[in-house]
């Protein structure tokens, strides 16, 4: 068996108006949680659709679990949660789930027992109420999301692809989703999810790939990416609002290259050749109360901004989530 | 194949379970049945009600004509209804008797009264007044009874024996009509026309209803984004095929149930009508050979696939019901144009129009079955029609599958025709 769940080599996809994906190559290691990061319109959804064989690349190759993506046996090994969620509104929950399982090659009897397990696990079936017998449109939005998530995992896929899974989730469901992702990873499954929320990605992912304008900007294991992006970052925390003097220090371009200003918390990228100790001395000299000063690895968010730049932000990048 | 089956099963069962389907399937035949029974009952009422005989006959002559009319009316009297009553009055007392009778009609004791006098004997006029004076059937029967009574009386006064008079004047004639067309005598004309028209109408209705149904189903999958989940499991073509076949099977189920119940109701027509007090002539259903039945089925399947895959393509290319209503216009025009020609072609099934319409792929699935039901069609016309529809079917499904595959994943503004043509050329 291959060590990589997904191997994409030089994939290109053009549409009439534009090139959605150009010359993309990436490796998703088996058993990893992999983040596909990028601003809206970067080509994430097109990449996912090519992995799912919904559309085929114009050139290049995509192999999944050691087989070509268009091998019919592969689709049964993949579970997919699309970004925009919806199910047959007038259909009974249990019947929807059975249908989704049958599309993945399960027989109805096997599906039924697993549906029960999952409904219980996600509190959709309690001694008082079995939501499985209700119609989809009788469920709250949060419950519908749970049902769709069950539909993604019901056939116990080797590869789980989640497109923007955290968008629109309430905090409780978001936590349940994180727990489930971790649990899947522990069972040896590979999970890919796309997101533009860097904080989430940084916490959950083993590896990431950042794409923008249809091209790969960088990829690799999170730790390696961070280390390779230098030790010139400083985290600075202040008590009280920053004074004009502090602002003046931080905007000195001989000392500071870039600041991510979160009011009382700053992530600072030092200018080339500048000494972090100088920065500390000058900030203290303004009389500001420093409660944190730490030389840190850059956050994924910082790396993303540096690599994707202003264009990415213009195209809908929302940064911290 | 198992996945295609899962899709067909879902499309079929989810529709058959709806209240609308159950309602239409049960009430369709009841509606048809009402169409058969109500006109018959109405005709019966206009032919003569049970009220007809419940009348006074005020005879101001001494000729006994009133009693003769009463005898004739009694002959046609429905069982259980009240017989007419003859009152012989002197001409001078007639107006008094008439006002008494009017009171009785108003008090609903009788339905009306007939006045016979010297002018009646001369064959000029008889007067009737009553609640049922507007019933054409009753008045026609009354007029017949008076005429017959007069005729009998005249024959008797001409010296013909009274028992012979009865035999000579009683002629219960019924007119049986048979249709002759260009092809010659065609059995009972009306029955085969009703049958052929019914088949064409049924095909038209199910294509429109269930085609719309396919469109709505596709639109639902697009707007809820279910399509994306399904496409990650099966190719778009499988979903399209499953949908068209599943919905088609629903339409077929409904038609078969309708046909069966309609046939049963036809068989039960006489006993049911007898309960309403109407006796009818025996009415034979047209014989349908297995070959004809298979041909009708084949045309339905091909016609349905042709139209519903186009409906699916429309559903995939729009974003809302409103857009769909507009985008579906061209197809509705084709269907309605076909429906407009049903009546002229029923009247003249071998005309040039009929031949052309049964060859054009968009109208053939409705017009050719109509012609087949009316009588035999030359084999080369049938073959040409079938081949044409079959090729059109292949073209429509090929075209629709490509629009469908791309359109279902494209959200936002409605594509222009040019953009849709580009979709067709996309590889995948």
């Amino acid at each position: 068996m291959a060590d990589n769940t997904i191997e994409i080599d030089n994939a290109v996809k053009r549409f009439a108006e534009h090139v959605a994906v150009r010359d993309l190559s990436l490796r998703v290691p088996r058993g990893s949680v992999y983040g596909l990061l990028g601003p809206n319109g970067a080509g994430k959804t097109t990449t996912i659709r090519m992995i799912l064989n919904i559309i085929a690349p114009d050139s290049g190759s995509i192999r999944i679990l050691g087989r070509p993506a268009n091998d019919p046996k592969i689709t049964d090994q993949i579970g997919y949660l699309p970004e925009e969620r919806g199910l047959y509104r007038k259909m009974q929950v249990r019947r929807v789930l059975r249908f989704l399982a049958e599309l993945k090659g399960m027989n109805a009897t096997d599906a039924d027992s697993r549906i029960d397990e999952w409904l219980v696990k996600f509190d959709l079936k309690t001694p008082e109420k079995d939501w499985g017998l209700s119609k989809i449109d009788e469920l709250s939005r949060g419950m519908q999301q749970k049902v769709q998530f069950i539909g993604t995992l019901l056939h116990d896929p080797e590869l789980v692809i989640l497109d923007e899974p955290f968008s629109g989730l309430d905090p409780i469901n978001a936590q349940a989703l994180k727990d489930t992702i971790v649990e899947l990873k522990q069972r040896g499954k590979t999970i890919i999810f796309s997101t533009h929320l860097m904080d989430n990605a940084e916490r959950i992912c083993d590896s990431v790939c950042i794409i923008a304008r249809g091209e790969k900007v960088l990829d690799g294991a999170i730790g390696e990416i961070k280390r390779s992006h230098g030790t010139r970052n400083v985290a600075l925390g202040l008590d009280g609002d920053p004074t004009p003097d502090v602002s003046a220090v931080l905007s000195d371009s001989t000392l500071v290259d870039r600041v991510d200003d979160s009011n009382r918390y700053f992530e600072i990228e030092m200018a080339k050749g500048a000494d972090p100790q100088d920065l500390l001395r000058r900030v203290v000299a303004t009389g500001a109360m420093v409660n944190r000063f730490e030389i840190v690895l850059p956050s994924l968010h910082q790396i993303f901004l540096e690599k994707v730049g202003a264009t990415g932000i213009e195209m809908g990048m929302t940064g911290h989530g | 194949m198992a996945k295609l089956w899962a899709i067909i099963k879902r499309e079929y069962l989810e529709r058959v379970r709806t209240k609308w389907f159950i309602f239409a399937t049960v009430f369709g035949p009841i509606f048809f049945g009402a169409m058969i029974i109500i006109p018959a009952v109405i005709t019966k009422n206009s032919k003569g009600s049970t009220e007809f005989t419940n009348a006074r006959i005020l005879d101001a002559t001494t000729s006994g004509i009133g009693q003769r009319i009463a005898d004739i009316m009694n002959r046609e009297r429905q069982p259980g209804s009240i017989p007419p009553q003859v009152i012989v009055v002197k001409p001078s007392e007639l107006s008094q008797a008439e006002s008494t009778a009017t009171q009785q009609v108003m008090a609903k004791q009788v339905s009306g009264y007939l006045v016979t006098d010297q002018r009646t004997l001369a064959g000029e006029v008889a007067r009737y007044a009553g609640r049922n004076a507007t019933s054409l059937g009753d008045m026609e029967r009354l007029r017949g009874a008076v005429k017959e009574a007069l005729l009998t009386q005249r024959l008797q006064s001409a010296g013909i024996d009274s028992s012979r008079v009865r035999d000579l004047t009683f002629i219960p004639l019924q007119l049986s009509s048979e249709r002759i067309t260009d092809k010659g005598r065609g059995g009972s004309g009306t029955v085969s026309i009703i049958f052929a028209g019914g088949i064409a109408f049924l095909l038209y209705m199910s294509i429109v209803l269930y085609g719309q149904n396919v469109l709505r189903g596709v639109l639902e999958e697009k707007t809820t984004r279910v399509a994306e989940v399904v496409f990650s499991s099966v190719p778009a073509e499988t979903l399209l095929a499953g949908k068209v076949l599943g919905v088609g099977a629903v339409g077929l189920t409904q038609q078969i149930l309708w046909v069966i119940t309609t046939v049963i109701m036809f068989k039960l027509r006489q006993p049911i009508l007898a309960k309403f007090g109407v006796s009818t002539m025996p009415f034979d259903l047209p014989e349908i050979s297995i070959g004809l039945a298979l041909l009708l089925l084949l045309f339905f399947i091909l016609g349905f696939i042709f139209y519903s895959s186009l409906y699916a393509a429309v559903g995939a290319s729009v974003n809302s019901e409103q857009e769909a209503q507009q985008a579906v216009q061209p197809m509705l025009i084709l269907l309605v144009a076909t429906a407009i020609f049903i009546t002229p072609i029923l009247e003249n099934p071998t005309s040039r129009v009929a031949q052309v319409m049964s060859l054009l792929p968009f109208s053939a699935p409705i017009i050719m079955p109509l012609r087949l039901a009316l009588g035999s069609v030359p084999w080369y016309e049938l073959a040409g029609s079938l081949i044409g529809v079959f090729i059109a079917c292949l073209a429509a499904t090929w075209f629709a599958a490509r629009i469908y595959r791309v359109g279902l994943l494209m959200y936002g503004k409605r594509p222009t025709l040019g953009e849709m043509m580009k979709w067709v050329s996309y590889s995948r």
Side-chain angles (χ1 to χ4, degrees):
Chain A
M1 273 289 208
D3 293 334
N4 291 319
T5 302
I6 297 179
E7 295 176 351
I8 300 179
D9 289 299
N10 311 103
V12 177
K13 184 68 192 178
R14 283 181 208 90
F15 291 113
E17 313 83 43
H18 68 292
V19 181
V21 170
R22 64 185 91 204
D23 201 27
L24 181 74
S25 300
L26 56 84
R27 298 279 178 277
V28 177
R30 181 175 283 267
S32 66
V33 179
Y34 193 91
L36 202 53
L37 315 180
N40 296 331
K44 286 175 295 182
T45 300
T46 304
T47 306
I48 287 176
R49 283 180 181 173
M50 286 195 293
I51 294 172
L52 291 166
N53 194 38
I54 294 177
I55 50 177
D58 296 330
S59 64
S61 87
I62 299 177
R63 294 179 70 80
I64 294 161
L65 299 162
R67 289 167 180 274
N70 59 9
D71 187 328
K73 283 178 192 146
I74 285 301
T75 55
D76 292 354
Q77 307 280 331
I78 306 178
Y80 172 51
L81 182 74
E83 175 178 4
E84 299 269 356
R85 271 146 249 167
L87 291 164
Y88 298 101
R89 290 189 207 107
K90 298 280 171 211
M91 216 172 153
Q92 198 192 70
V93 169
R94 195 172 281 278
R95 293 198 184 116
V96 171
L97 290 173
R98 198 184 295 146
F99 173 64
L100 292 176
E102 281 177 322
L103 287 186
K104 290 297 187 183
M106 287 180 78
N107 68 49
T109 332
D110 290 350
D112 278 347
S113 64
R114 285 207 209 161
I115 288 168
D116 274 326
E117 284 171 31
W118 279 100
L119 288 177
V120 170
K121 180 170 172 173
F122 278 174
D123 296 327
L124 289 171
K125 190 181 173 188
T126 58
E128 297 90 51
K129 171 90 186 170
D130 183 358
W131 288 101
L133 299 175
S134 306
K135 284 184 181 167
I136 292 286
D137 61 3
E138 294 164 4
L139 268 57
S140 71
R141 214 177 130 67
M143 287 190 215
Q144 290 183 23
Q145 286 172 337
K146 286 182 187 173
V147 172
Q148 187 141 28
F149 197 58
I150 294 174
T152 308
L153 300 177
L154 201 53
H155 57 293
D156 197 26
E158 279 304 307
L159 170 60
V160 180
I161 300 178
L162 312 168
D163 197 354
E164 296 284 356
F166 293 101
S167 72
L169 284 194
D170 62 46
I172 296 170
N173 276 342
Q175 187 58 45
L177 177 61
K178 275 179 204 163
D179 293 347
T180 314
I181 290 175
V182 171
E183 191 190 314
L184 285 169
K185 179 191 154 65
Q186 284 164 355
R187 287 174 48 214
K189 313 291 183 191
T190 309
I191 301 105
I192 298 184
F193 69 91
S194 79
T195 185
H196 56 255
L197 306 180
M198 297 302 146
D199 289 0
N200 269 323
E202 186 161 355
R203 259 175 269 147
I204 307 173
C205 295
D206 300 313
S207 306
V208 293
C209 171
I210 297 177
I211 56 176
R213 294 175 294 275
E215 284 175 303
K216 179 166 78 180
V217 175
L218 95 170
D219 68 343
I222 285 221
E224 278 168 35
I225 289 176
K226 285 186 154 196
R227 274 191 295 280
S228 69
H229 280 77
T231 51
R232 296 184 291 121
N233 278 46
V234 168
L236 172 69
L238 297 180
D239 261 355
D241 293 337
T243 60
D245 290 342
V246 173
S247 303
V249 171
L250 294 182
S251 52
D252 180 348
S253 61
T254 60
L255 201 60
V256 173
D257 210 20
R258 198 207 306 254
V259 182
D260 183 10
D261 181 349
S262 307
N263 197 19
R264 296 207 313 267
Y265 172 79
F266 302 86
E267 190 168 333
I268 296 161
E269 195 179 322
M270 301 301 296
K272 261 208 169 70
D275 183 355
Q277 298 306 319
D278 265 352
L279 176 70
L280 177 61
R281 267 192 294 274
R282 288 184 52 185
V283 170
V284 171
T286 65
M289 296 289 288
V290 175
N291 61 18
R292 180 177 175 199
F293 188 87
E294 188 184 356
I295 296 185
V296 293
L297 289 172
S299 69
L300 207 52
H301 181 65
Q302 283 290 323
I303 297 171
F304 184 88
L305 288 183
E306 186 187 323
K307 287 292 181 182
V308 176
T311 345
I313 296 168
E314 272 166 27
M315 288 176 77
M317 177 64 209
T318 52
H320 290 288
Chain B
M1 274 317 273
K3 292 180 183 181
L4 175 64
W5 180 243
I7 293 168
I8 294 176
K9 206 171 64 180
R10 194 200 81 82
E11 298 290 342
Y12 185 83
L13 290 178
E14 286 305 311
R15 279 180 178 76
V16 170
R17 282 194 192 107
T18 57
K19 289 188 192 77
W20 186 87
F21 178 85
I22 296 167
F23 180 84
T25 309
V26 171
F27 283 87
I30 291 179
F31 177 74
F32 294 150
M35 300 266 282
I36 295 165
I37 289 165
I38 290 173
V41 171
I42 288 171
T43 324
K44 184 208 99 177
N45 282 338
S46 62
K47 267 183 185 158
S49 57
T50 51
E51 295 293 292
F52 165 62
T53 51
N54 183 18
R56 297 271 185 276
I57 297 171
L58 307 182
D59 189 359
T61 72
T62 50
S63 63
I65 185 78
Q67 190 54 51
R68 283 184 197 278
I69 295 170
D71 290 344
I72 291 165
M73 284 167 75
N74 266 326
R75 208 171 64 211
E76 294 176 20
R77 186 160 60 91
Q78 298 281 347
S81 61
I82 303 160
Q85 195 185 341
V86 183
I87 301 166
V88 180
V89 293
K90 291 176 188 152
S92 58
E93 288 164 10
L94 184 59
S95 57
Q96 175 65 39
E98 276 192 51
S99 61
T100 312
T102 304
Q103 296 294 331
Q104 285 172 329
V105 174
M106 286 165 71
K108 293 190 180 168
Q109 291 165 356
V110 293
S111 42
Y113 61 90
L114 175 75
V115 179
T116 51
D117 54 17
Q118 289 305 318
R119 292 182 64 205
T120 310
L121 285 180
E124 286 169 13
V125 68
R127 284 186 293 119
Y128 181 82
R131 290 182 178 276
N132 56 345
T134 52
S135 164
L136 289 178
D138 279 3
M139 294 307 101
E140 195 52 43
R141 281 169 70 188
L142 192 59
R143 186 167 160 270
V146 176
K147 278 178 78 175
E148 195 185 329
L150 284 171
L151 181 61
T152 316
Q153 191 172 42
R154 288 179 183 183
L155 286 170
Q156 270 183 339
S157 48
I160 294 168
D161 178 60
S162 66
S163 61
R164 297 262 301 136
V165 169
R166 170 84 180 80
D167 290 346
L168 286 170
T169 53
F170 183 68
I171 307 167
L173 177 81
Q174 279 184 315
L175 184 66
S176 140
S177 59
E178 189 176 16
R179 185 178 151 92
I180 296 178
T181 63
D182 298 359
K183 290 191 175 300
R185 300 159 62 113
S188 166
T190 351
V191 173
S192 65
I193 284 185
I194 291 174
F195 172 65
I199 282 185
F201 183 70
L202 202 63
L203 287 171
Y204 169 74
M205 283 295 291
S206 11
I207 286 175
V208 171
L209 282 180
Y210 285 95
Q212 292 275 5
N213 214 311
V214 168
L215 188 155
R216 247 177 278 122
V218 171
L219 194 57
E220 188 199 357
E221 281 172 351
K222 178 169 177 172
T223 52
T224 60
R225 315 292 161 101
V226 178
E228 232 171 299
V229 181
V230 179
F231 283 3
S232 73
S233 307
V234 296
E237 292 78 4
T238 310
L239 178 59
L240 178 61
K243 185 170 290 290
V244 168
L245 293 177
V247 176
V250 177
L252 206 56
T253 307
Q254 190 163 58
Q255 284 180 30
I256 289 171
L257 289 174
W258 277 354
V259 168
I260 290 173
T261 39
T262 308
V263 168
I264 291 172
M265 296 211 345
F266 253 104
K267 301 241 148 122
L268 295 177
R269 182 171 169 267
Q270 278 184 291
I272 290 175
L273 283 177
K275 286 219 159 52
F276 286 95
V278 184
S279 60
T280 51
M281 298 223 302
F283 187 94
D284 288 329
L285 282 172
E287 291 281 315
I288 306 175
S289 66
I290 297 288
L292 178 58
L294 288 179
L295 274 175
L296 294 180
L297 187 68
L298 188 61
F299 271 105
F300 169 73
I301 292 172
L302 290 176
F304 181 78
I305 291 177
F306 175 77
Y307 274 106
S308 62
S309 41
L310 293 181
Y311 269 111
V314 170
S317 61
V318 297
N319 295 295
S320 66
E321 288 271 352
Q322 287 87 338
E323 282 184 20
Q325 291 312 322
Q326 284 181 11
V328 90
Q329 294 297 334
M331 284 161 55
L332 277 181
I333 288 172
L334 288 182
L335 277 167
V336 170
T338 308
I340 287 172
F341 280 98
I342 289 180
T343 319
I345 290 175
L346 272 176
E347 281 165 7
N348 203 347
T350 47
S351 62
R352 182 66 60 192
V353 177
Q355 286 175 329
V356 172
M357 295 289 279
S358 55
L359 278 177
L360 292 176
F362 72 87
S363 54
I366 292 168
I367 299 300
M368 191 45 110
L370 180 157
R371 291 181 61 199
L372 286 170
L374 276 179
S376 62
V377 173
W379 67 268
Y380 50 88
E381 281 190 38
L382 178 59
S385 174
L386 266 179
I387 292 168
V389 176
F390 190 72
I391 291 171
C393 231
L394 288 182
T397 45
W398 180 85
F399 170 81
R402 290 177 157 241
I403 297 286
Y404 186 74
R405 197 172 62 195
V406 180
L408 268 187
L409 299 174
M410 292 265 182
Y411 314 113
K413 87 173 183 47
R414 188 177 149 198
T416 62
L417 209 60
E419 283 170 318
M420 282 171 70
M421 287 305 136
K422 262 186 215 146
W423 293 0
V424 174
S425 68
Y426 283 171
S427 53
R428 203 156 83 82

